[in-house]
Amino acid sequence: NQLRERFIDGYSRYFVIKVNEKIIATTSTKAEHPLFAVSGGLIVDENYRGKNIGKLLTYTLIKTLQQEGKASYSFISDENTASLRMIEGVGYKLLGKTGKLIANLLSGEE
């Protein structure tokens, strides 16, 4: 129901590539505003990696948002070097770096 509400509200959308009715790649917007969107969640089936499918899907998403007059932002971990290379290849510019918040709530550690 929540996913359906996000579609209806225009809060997020998914871009999907299928081969023989099987989803082999997907990416999405995680939040949309009239001026910008947060995109991410790229997943490519391991049998189709290294074929620029993720790059094509990400490029299509970014171009669609640009045509709508929206800026696009994505948050990627420094450790995800493959995604960092890919997004730079489609025109993203690195704006900055962030840290990763890790908490072990079950052990009581802070």
Side-chain angles (χ1 to χ4, degrees):
N1 287 337
Q2 185 178 10
L3 185 57
R4 187 176 316 121
E5 288 172 9
R6 286 181 177 217
F7 287 137
I8 292 168
D9 293 343
Y11 186 78
S12 63
R13 64 181 109 174
Y14 286 79
F15 287 63
V16 175
I17 295 177
K18 289 182 176 181
V19 172
N20 298 324
E21 295 304 311
K22 177 186 177 190
I23 295 173
I24 62 157
T26 183
T27 192
S28 64
T29 58
K30 303 301 179 192
E32 291 198 37
H33 177 274
L35 300 177
F36 67 89
V38 177
S39 62
L42 175 67
I43 301 170
V44 178
D45 183 289
E46 62 187 27
N47 297 316
Y48 291 88
R49 292 179 188 162
K51 302 176 191 278
N52 289 321
I53 293 170
K55 190 174 184 178
L56 171 67
L57 203 54
T58 302
Y59 177 82
T60 302
L61 171 65
I62 293 167
K63 284 311 244 183
T64 300
L65 293 169
Q66 287 175 340
Q67 290 169 350
E68 295 171 3
K70 295 181 181 183
S72 179
Y73 299 94
S74 188
F75 299 94
I76 299 171
S77 167
D78 286 343
E79 294 131 19
N80 192 344
T81 56
S83 288
L84 289 170
R85 281 193 311 272
M86 187 272 303
I87 61 153
E88 288 175 346
V90 296
Y92 267 109
K93 290 189 173 46
L94 184 62
L95 297 177
K97 294 185 177 188
T98 60
K100 190 176 200 178
L101 178 62
I102 299 173
N104 188 345
L105 300 176
L106 298 177
S107 71
E109 295 177 20
E110 292 184 38

CSV table of all heavy atoms in Angstrom, one decimal, residues 4 15-16 27 32 35 45-46 49 51 54-55 58 60 69 80-83 90 92-93 95 105 109:
chain,number,residue,atom,x,y,z
A,4,ARG,N,2.3,1.9,-3.4
A,4,ARG,CA,1.2,2.4,-4.3
A,4,ARG,C,0.9,3.9,-4.0
A,4,ARG,O,0.8,4.7,-4.9
A,4,ARG,CB,-0.1,1.6,-4.1
A,4,ARG,CG,-1.2,2.0,-5.1
A,4,ARG,CD,-2.4,1.1,-4.9
A,4,ARG,NE,-2.1,-0.3,-4.8
A,4,ARG,CZ,-2.5,-1.1,-3.7
A,4,ARG,NH1,-3.2,-0.6,-2.8
A,4,ARG,NH2,-2.1,-2.3,-3.7
A,15,PHE,N,12.4,2.8,-12.7
A,15,PHE,CA,12.8,2.5,-14.0
A,15,PHE,C,13.3,1.0,-14.0
A,15,PHE,O,14.1,0.7,-13.2
A,15,PHE,CB,13.9,3.4,-14.5
A,15,PHE,CG,13.5,4.8,-14.7
A,15,PHE,CD1,12.9,5.6,-13.7
A,15,PHE,CD2,13.6,5.4,-16.0
A,15,PHE,CE1,12.5,6.9,-13.9
A,15,PHE,CE2,13.2,6.7,-16.2
A,15,PHE,CZ,12.6,7.4,-15.2
A,16,VAL,N,12.8,0.2,-15.0
A,16,VAL,CA,13.0,-1.2,-14.9
A,16,VAL,C,13.4,-1.6,-16.3
A,16,VAL,O,12.8,-1.2,-17.3
A,16,VAL,CB,11.7,-2.0,-14.5
A,16,VAL,CG1,11.9,-3.5,-14.6
A,16,VAL,CG2,11.3,-1.6,-13.1
A,27,THR,N,16.2,1.0,-11.1
A,27,THR,CA,16.7,2.1,-10.2
A,27,THR,C,15.4,2.9,-10.0
A,27,THR,O,14.4,2.7,-10.6
A,27,THR,CB,17.8,2.9,-10.9
A,27,THR,OG1,18.3,3.8,-9.9
A,27,THR,CG2,17.3,3.7,-12.1
A,32,GLU,N,10.8,12.8,-4.3
A,32,GLU,CA,10.7,13.8,-5.4
A,32,GLU,C,10.1,15.1,-4.9
A,32,GLU,O,9.1,15.0,-4.0
A,32,GLU,CB,10.0,13.3,-6.6
A,32,GLU,CG,10.8,12.2,-7.3
A,32,GLU,CD,10.3,12.0,-8.8
A,32,GLU,OE1,9.9,13.0,-9.4
A,32,GLU,OE2,10.3,10.8,-9.2
A,35,LEU,N,11.5,20.6,-7.6
A,35,LEU,CA,12.7,21.1,-8.0
A,35,LEU,C,13.9,20.1,-8.0
A,35,LEU,O,14.9,20.3,-8.7
A,35,LEU,CB,13.2,22.3,-7.2
A,35,LEU,CG,12.2,23.5,-7.2
A,35,LEU,CD1,12.7,24.6,-6.3
A,35,LEU,CD2,12.1,24.0,-8.6
A,45,ASP,N,21.1,-7.4,-12.1
A,45,ASP,CA,21.3,-8.9,-12.0
A,45,ASP,C,22.8,-9.2,-12.3
A,45,ASP,O,23.4,-8.7,-13.2
A,45,ASP,CB,20.4,-9.6,-13.0
A,45,ASP,CG,20.5,-11.1,-12.9
A,45,ASP,OD1,21.5,-11.7,-13.3
A,45,ASP,OD2,19.5,-11.7,-12.4
A,46,GLU,N,23.4,-10.0,-11.4
A,46,GLU,CA,24.8,-10.3,-11.6
A,46,GLU,C,25.2,-10.9,-12.9
A,46,GLU,O,26.3,-10.7,-13.4
A,46,GLU,CB,25.3,-11.3,-10.5
A,46,GLU,CG,24.6,-12.6,-10.5
A,46,GLU,CD,25.0,-13.5,-9.3
A,46,GLU,OE1,25.3,-12.9,-8.2
A,46,GLU,OE2,25.0,-14.7,-9.4
A,49,ARG,N,25.9,-7.7,-15.2
A,49,ARG,CA,26.8,-6.6,-14.8
A,49,ARG,C,27.9,-6.5,-15.8
A,49,ARG,O,28.3,-7.4,-16.5
A,49,ARG,CB,27.3,-6.9,-13.4
A,49,ARG,CG,26.2,-6.8,-12.4
A,49,ARG,CD,26.6,-7.1,-11.0
A,49,ARG,NE,25.5,-7.1,-10.1
A,49,ARG,CZ,25.5,-7.7,-8.9
A,49,ARG,NH1,26.6,-8.2,-8.4
A,49,ARG,NH2,24.4,-7.7,-8.2
A,51,LYS,N,28.0,-4.6,-18.4
A,51,LYS,CA,27.5,-4.4,-19.8
A,51,LYS,C,26.9,-3.0,-20.0
A,51,LYS,O,26.2,-2.8,-20.9
A,51,LYS,CB,26.4,-5.5,-20.2
A,51,LYS,CG,27.0,-6.9,-20.0
A,51,LYS,CD,25.9,-7.9,-20.3
A,51,LYS,CE,26.3,-9.3,-19.9
A,51,LYS,NZ,27.1,-10.0,-20.9
A,54,GLY,N,23.4,-0.7,-16.1
A,54,GLY,CA,23.2,0.2,-14.9
A,54,GLY,C,23.5,1.7,-15.3
A,54,GLY,O,22.7,2.6,-15.0
A,55,LYS,N,24.5,1.9,-16.1
A,55,LYS,CA,24.8,3.2,-16.6
A,55,LYS,C,23.7,3.7,-17.5
A,55,LYS,O,23.3,4.9,-17.4
A,55,LYS,CB,26.1,3.1,-17.4
A,55,LYS,CG,26.7,4.5,-17.8
A,55,LYS,CD,28.1,4.3,-18.4
A,55,LYS,CE,28.7,5.6,-18.7
A,55,LYS,NZ,30.1,5.4,-19.3
A,58,THR,N,20.6,4.5,-15.3
A,58,THR,CA,20.9,5.8,-14.5
A,58,THR,C,20.8,7.0,-15.4
A,58,THR,O,20.2,8.0,-15.0
A,58,THR,CB,22.2,5.6,-13.7
A,58,THR,OG1,22.2,4.5,-12.9
A,58,THR,CG2,22.5,6.9,-12.9
A,60,THR,N,19.2,7.4,-18.1
A,60,THR,CA,17.8,7.6,-18.5
A,60,THR,C,17.0,8.3,-17.4
A,60,THR,O,16.3,9.2,-17.7
A,60,THR,CB,17.1,6.3,-18.9
A,60,THR,OG1,17.9,5.7,-20.0
A,60,THR,CG2,15.7,6.5,-19.3
A,69,GLY,N,12.9,19.5,-15.4
A,69,GLY,CA,13.5,20.7,-14.7
A,69,GLY,C,13.9,20.4,-13.3
A,69,GLY,O,14.0,21.3,-12.4
A,80,ASN,N,31.7,2.1,-2.2
A,80,ASN,CA,31.0,1.6,-3.4
A,80,ASN,C,31.7,2.2,-4.6
A,80,ASN,O,31.1,3.0,-5.3
A,80,ASN,CB,29.5,1.9,-3.3
A,80,ASN,CG,28.8,1.2,-4.4
A,80,ASN,OD1,29.3,0.7,-5.4
A,80,ASN,ND2,27.5,1.1,-4.2
A,81,THR,N,32.9,1.8,-4.9
A,81,THR,CA,33.7,2.4,-6.0
A,81,THR,C,33.1,2.2,-7.4
A,81,THR,O,33.2,3.1,-8.2
A,81,THR,CB,35.2,2.0,-5.9
A,81,THR,OG1,35.2,0.5,-6.0
A,81,THR,CG2,35.9,2.4,-4.7
A,82,ALA,N,32.5,1.0,-7.6
A,82,ALA,CA,31.9,0.8,-8.9
A,82,ALA,C,30.8,1.8,-9.2
A,82,ALA,O,30.7,2.3,-10.3
A,82,ALA,CB,31.4,-0.7,-8.9
A,83,SER,N,29.9,2.0,-8.2
A,83,SER,CA,28.8,3.0,-8.4
A,83,SER,C,29.3,4.4,-8.5
A,83,SER,O,28.8,5.2,-9.3
A,83,SER,CB,27.8,2.9,-7.2
A,83,SER,OG,27.1,1.7,-7.2
A,90,VAL,N,28.1,9.1,-16.0
A,90,VAL,CA,26.8,9.6,-16.6
A,90,VAL,C,26.6,11.1,-16.3
A,90,VAL,O,25.6,11.6,-16.6
A,90,VAL,CB,25.6,8.8,-16.2
A,90,VAL,CG1,25.7,7.4,-16.7
A,90,VAL,CG2,25.4,8.8,-14.7
A,92,TYR,N,27.2,12.8,-13.2
A,92,TYR,CA,27.1,13.3,-11.8
A,92,TYR,C,28.5,13.9,-11.4
A,92,TYR,O,29.5,13.5,-11.8
A,92,TYR,CB,26.8,12.2,-10.8
A,92,TYR,CG,25.4,11.9,-10.5
A,92,TYR,CD1,24.7,10.8,-11.0
A,92,TYR,CD2,24.7,12.8,-9.7
A,92,TYR,CE1,23.4,10.6,-10.6
A,92,TYR,CE2,23.4,12.6,-9.3
A,92,TYR,CZ,22.8,11.4,-9.8
A,92,TYR,OH,21.5,11.2,-9.5
A,93,LYS,N,28.4,14.9,-10.6
A,93,LYS,CA,29.7,15.5,-10.0
A,93,LYS,C,29.6,15.2,-8.5
A,93,LYS,O,28.6,15.4,-7.9
A,93,LYS,CB,29.7,17.0,-10.3
A,93,LYS,CG,30.0,17.3,-11.8
A,93,LYS,CD,30.2,18.8,-11.9
A,93,LYS,CE,30.6,19.2,-13.3
A,93,LYS,NZ,30.0,18.7,-14.4
A,95,LEU,N,29.9,16.1,-5.0
A,95,LEU,CA,29.7,17.3,-4.2
A,95,LEU,C,30.4,17.3,-2.9
A,95,LEU,O,30.8,18.3,-2.3
A,95,LEU,CB,28.2,17.7,-4.0
A,95,LEU,CG,27.4,17.9,-5.2
A,95,LEU,CD1,26.0,18.1,-4.9
A,95,LEU,CD2,28.0,19.1,-6.0
A,105,LEU,N,22.5,-1.1,18.5
A,105,LEU,CA,21.5,-0.8,19.5
A,105,LEU,C,21.2,-1.9,20.5
A,105,LEU,O,20.8,-1.8,21.6
A,105,LEU,CB,20.2,-0.4,18.8
A,105,LEU,CG,20.3,0.9,18.0
A,105,LEU,CD1,19.0,1.2,17.3
A,105,LEU,CD2,20.7,2.1,18.8
A,109,GLU,N,25.9,-0.3,23.2
A,109,GLU,CA,27.1,0.6,22.9
A,109,GLU,C,26.6,1.8,22.2
A,109,GLU,O,25.6,1.8,21.5
A,109,GLU,CB,28.0,-0.2,22.0
A,109,GLU,CG,28.7,-1.4,22.6
A,109,GLU,CD,29.6,-2.1,21.6
A,109,GLU,OE1,30.0,-1.5,20.6
A,109,GLU,OE2,29.8,-3.3,21.8
